[in-house]
């Protein structure tokens, strides 16, 4: 038998079942964590506060047994490296003057899509050390995976989720048309260089728009993934009502992965710093439904993380407050430090 995740109505949930995802209330507060064995009292409480369905670990016949090795960290790392090399080849073919090889692209999409339930491995891969000079390849693959899990958290169907994988993978494909001396410049871009860099979304759109294997919705998302809800983005200055859902999802995934990565011109921020900027600094810029869905889910995977405080102490994150996700409660030895109320202690580094 293989263990899979399945959403089932609360009336069908039985004592002894184990949760497969965190359950939140309407305010974004955690009601029950992932991997908790349920009892009758807990189930009744969840019913009483309006929970209608939840994700449960279910045993299924061995016909889907390939999931067992896909979810293994070792297998995931191996396949991630293979997909990364294929992504690099996809870009280099275009840099060399070739066309987008859609069969090779679809191979990567299928490989990513089979990991749809590998949330923990995906989050861990985002946090890994990356080669700075190959940032674009890592970023494209990571954004495709983040788009996939955001789509899942939004309860989209498998067709839309697979489209999101492809859109995320190709969102920066236009950078293959940007000169490498601009793309990998270690210092600040000049005004003209920045103007050229900003054309990558248009270049990407032109690369895919006439490809019959890429839908209009995906092509449009590639074109508009730097647009913002308030119309302050580029290249068209569109407002949120003119953007499709794929574009809104890519924007959130793109920002999170970019800010948590070392770049040629800046060092990465800690995930907690990024949570702060996204939660409190993106009003009117990011779609609130997509953003809150992402933050309410992704932050739970950082509980148990080791962090270094500005005091030099090493601690473990034990609780994340949904109203202030960047300032969790950290356990140091036998002490609990609530960084949201401390004027002195803050997280310096994610370990």
């Amino acid at each position: 038998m293989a263990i899979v995740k399945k959403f089932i109505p609360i009336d069908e949930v039985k004592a002894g079942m184990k949760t497969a995802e965190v359950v939140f209330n309407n305010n974004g507060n955690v009601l029950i964590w992932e991997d908790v064995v349920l009892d009758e009292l807990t189930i009744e409480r969840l019913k009483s506060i309006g929970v209608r369905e939840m994700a449960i670990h279910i045993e299924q016949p061995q016909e889907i047994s390939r999931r067992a090795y896909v979810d293994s960290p070792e297998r995931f790392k191996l396949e991630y490296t293979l997909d990364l090399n294929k992504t690099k080849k996809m870009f280099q073919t275009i840099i060399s003057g070739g066309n987008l090889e859609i069969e090779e692209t679809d191979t990567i999409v299928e490989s990513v899509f089979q990991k749809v339930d590998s949330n923990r491995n995906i989050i861990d891969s985002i946090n890994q050390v990356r080669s700075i000079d190959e940032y674009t390849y890592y970023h494209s693959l990571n954004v495709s995976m983040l788009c996939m899990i955001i789509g899942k958290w939004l309860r989209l169907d498998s067709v839309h989720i697979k489209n999101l994988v492809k859109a995320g993978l190709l969102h920066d494909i236009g950078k293959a048309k940007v000169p490498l001396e601009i793309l990998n410049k270690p210092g600040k871009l000049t005004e003209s260089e920045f103007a050229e860099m900003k054309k990558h979304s248009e270049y990407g759109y032109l690369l895919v728009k006439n490809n019959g294997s890429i839908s209009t919705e995906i092509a449009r998302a590639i074109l508009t993934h730097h647009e913002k809800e308030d119309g302050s983005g580029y290249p068209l200055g569109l407002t949120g009502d003119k953007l499709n859902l794929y574009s809104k999802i890519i924007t959130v995934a793109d920002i999170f992965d970019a800010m948590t990565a070392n770049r040629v011109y800046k060092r990465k921020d800690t995930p907690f710093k990024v949570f702060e900027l996204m939660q409190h600094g993106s009003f009117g810029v990011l779609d609130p439904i997509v953003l809150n869905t992402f933050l309410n889910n992704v932050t739970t995977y950082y509980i148990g993380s080791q962090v270094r405080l500005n005091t030099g102490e090493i601690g473990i994150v034990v609780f994340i407050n949904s109203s202030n996700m960047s300032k969790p409660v950290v356990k140091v030895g036998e002490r609990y430090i609530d960084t949201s109320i401390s004027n002195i202690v803050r997280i310096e580094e994610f370990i």
Side-chain angles (χ1 to χ4, degrees):
M1 302 292 283
I3 304 297
V4 298
K5 180 175 68 176
K6 185 176 182 181
F7 286 94
I8 64 176
I10 191 69
D11 290 335
E12 296 179 16
V13 176
K14 307 296 182 185
M17 289 183 171
K18 182 184 288 188
T19 58
E21 278 191 6
V22 177
V23 178
F24 298 92
N25 64 14
N26 292 332
N27 296 320
N29 296 315
V30 174
L31 297 176
I32 190 167
W33 296 106
E34 184 179 359
D35 291 327
V36 173
V37 177
L38 296 162
D39 55 31
E40 293 288 356
L41 180 60
T42 302
I43 294 169
E44 289 304 315
R45 285 177 177 170
L46 292 172
K47 288 180 181 178
S48 70
I49 56 180
V51 175
R52 296 184 177 181
E53 68 171 7
M54 56 191 305
I56 297 293
H57 288 299
I58 300 291
E59 286 190 346
Q60 281 194 211
Q62 200 62 32
E63 61 190 21
I64 58 166
S65 61
R66 67 177 185 150
R67 182 69 62 206
Y69 75 78
V70 169
D71 283 344
S72 133
E74 295 75 20
R75 182 74 190 196
F76 186 95
K77 289 177 182 177
L78 173 62
E79 293 192 356
Y80 181 93
T81 300
L82 293 172
D83 291 340
L84 181 66
N85 289 333
K86 291 176 183 176
T87 302
K88 182 177 180 179
K89 179 183 175 184
M90 177 181 74
F91 272 83
Q92 290 180 335
T93 297
I94 296 171
I95 291 171
S96 300
N99 296 318
L100 180 66
E101 296 179 353
I102 198 62
E103 289 185 6
E104 190 69 19
T105 302
D106 285 342
T107 300
I108 305 170
V109 170
E110 289 296 333
S111 178
V112 172
F113 184 70
Q114 74 174 344
K115 304 173 181 65
V116 69
D117 291 323
S118 298
N119 295 12
R120 165 54 63 190
N121 289 325
I122 290 171
I123 300 303
D124 287 346
S125 72
I126 304 302
N127 295 324
Q128 74 176 344
V129 176
R130 320 175 197 179
S131 171
I132 293 178
D133 59 351
E134 296 193 334
Y135 165 79
T136 300
Y137 314 132
Y138 283 95
H139 179 63
S140 298
L141 188 56
N142 288 350
V143 169
S144 74
M145 295 190 296
L146 286 171
C147 285
M148 176 173 69
I149 60 176
I150 294 173
K152 183 178 65 170
W153 289 333
L154 287 167
R155 308 289 178 84
L156 302 183
D157 64 34
S158 59
V159 173
H160 285 303
I161 292 174
K162 187 173 284 190
N163 283 344
L164 280 167
V165 174
K166 183 176 287 188
L169 181 68
L170 297 175
H171 81 286
D172 270 351
I173 194 65
K175 286 184 177 178
K177 296 293 187 180
V178 175
L180 286 176
E181 59 268 23
I182 294 177
L183 196 62
N184 294 328
K185 184 177 178 179
K188 184 178 180 180
L189 298 179
T190 65
E191 189 174 326
S192 62
E193 288 170 338
F194 186 55
E196 176 64 21
M197 178 70 87
K198 287 168 65 175
K199 291 179 182 178
H200 76 271
S201 54
E202 296 170 82
Y203 293 152
Y205 177 71
L206 293 173
L207 281 168
V208 305
K209 71 170 186 173
N210 294 321
N211 191 308
S213 299
I214 297 177
S215 72
T216 301
E217 289 295 288
I218 292 175
R220 189 164 179 81
I222 292 169
L223 175 65
T224 61
H225 72 274
H226 281 292
E227 302 286 356
K228 300 295 185 286
E229 294 293 307
D230 59 4
S232 63
Y234 64 86
L236 304 173
L238 300 178
T239 51
D241 58 317
K242 303 294 194 305
L243 304 173
N244 66 27
L245 182 58
Y246 295 172
S247 176
K248 294 169 184 274
I249 290 173
I250 292 173
T251 301
V252 170
D254 180 35
I255 289 173
F256 181 75
D257 185 68
M259 293 183 72
T260 54
N262 281 328
R263 308 286 290 275
V264 291
Y265 52 83
K266 68 175 283 291
R267 289 193 60 77
K268 67 180 180 181
D269 291 313
T270 70
F272 299 101
K273 178 64 174 178
V274 177
F275 296 155
E276 178 182 4
L277 294 171
M278 294 184 79
Q279 184 176 26
H280 300 299
S282 59
F283 180 76
V285 175
L286 302 178
D287 181 271
I289 294 176
V290 175
L291 175 62
N292 290 332
T293 297
F294 173 67
L295 289 177
N296 285 335
N297 282 277
V298 77
T299 50
T300 65
Y301 290 92
Y302 290 89
I303 293 173
S305 299
Q306 268 199 326
V307 294
R308 179 177 288 107
L309 304 177
N310 63 321
T311 61
E313 297 171 295
I314 304 296
I316 302 291
V317 174
V318 294
F319 179 75
I320 295 178
N321 188 331
S322 63
S323 64
N324 201 348
M325 296 172 177
S326 67
K327 299 183 182 299
V329 176
V330 178
K331 183 180 181 183
V332 179
E334 297 303 315
R335 293 181 297 129
Y336 291 86
I337 302 172
D338 187 344
T339 60
S340 68
I341 62 176
S342 173
N343 294 322
I344 301 172
V345 180
R346 65 180 183 275
I347 292 174
E348 193 77 16
E349 184 181 2
F350 176 80
I351 301 176

